[in-house]
């Protein structure tokens, strides 16, 4: 596995673990800055990808919020 691919995977796992630890709270993008690297657009792509594959759910209010899907919380907390 390439270092870039491994780092991207680790970042996604760390994000999901962080969000699972905060469940059931909705977490805003500013709160995730310590967990994520890169620019805001990179964060949006990562979050959208995790929503589309069913790991996260998104709240479309102002401000936006994300959290781990309820059925996945226990698995991410165990990591």
């Amino acid at each position: 596995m390439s270092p870039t691919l491994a780092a991207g995977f680790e970042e996604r796992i760390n994000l999901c673990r962080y969000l699972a630890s905060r469940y059931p709270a909705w977490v805003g993008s500013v709160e995730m800055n310590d967990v994520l690297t890169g620019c805001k657009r990179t964060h949006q792509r990562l979050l959208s990808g995790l929503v589309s594959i069913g790991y996260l759910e998104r709240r479309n209010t102002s401000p936006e919020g994300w959290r781990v899907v309820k059925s996945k919380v226990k698995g991410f907390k165990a990591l």
Side-chain angles (χ1 to χ4, degrees):
M1 185 180 300
S2 74
T4 306
L5 186 59
F9 178 76
E10 185 176 338
E11 184 175 40
R12 284 169 175 77
I13 292 296
N14 288 339
L15 174 65
C16 289
R17 287 176 55 202
Y18 173 73
L19 293 174
S21 72
R22 302 280 315 272
Y23 190 84
W26 292 93
V27 179
S29 59
V30 173
E31 296 172 87
M32 291 184 261
N33 283 340
D34 294 337
V35 181
L36 299 173
T37 59
C39 66
K40 183 174 174 113
R41 181 63 188 129
T42 302
H43 299 174
Q44 290 173 338
R45 282 193 303 269
L46 185 143
L47 292 165
S48 294
L50 290 171
V51 169
S52 69
I53 61 174
Y55 287 111
L56 299 183
E57 55 186 335
R58 179 178 176 215
R59 180 180 63 182
N60 294 323
T61 60
S62 182
E64 295 174 317
W66 290 267
R67 67 180 178 187
V68 174
V69 173
K70 185 177 182 177
S71 64
K72 310 253 189 259
V73 171
K74 192 173 183 180
F76 284 119
K77 283 185 175 182
L79 292 176

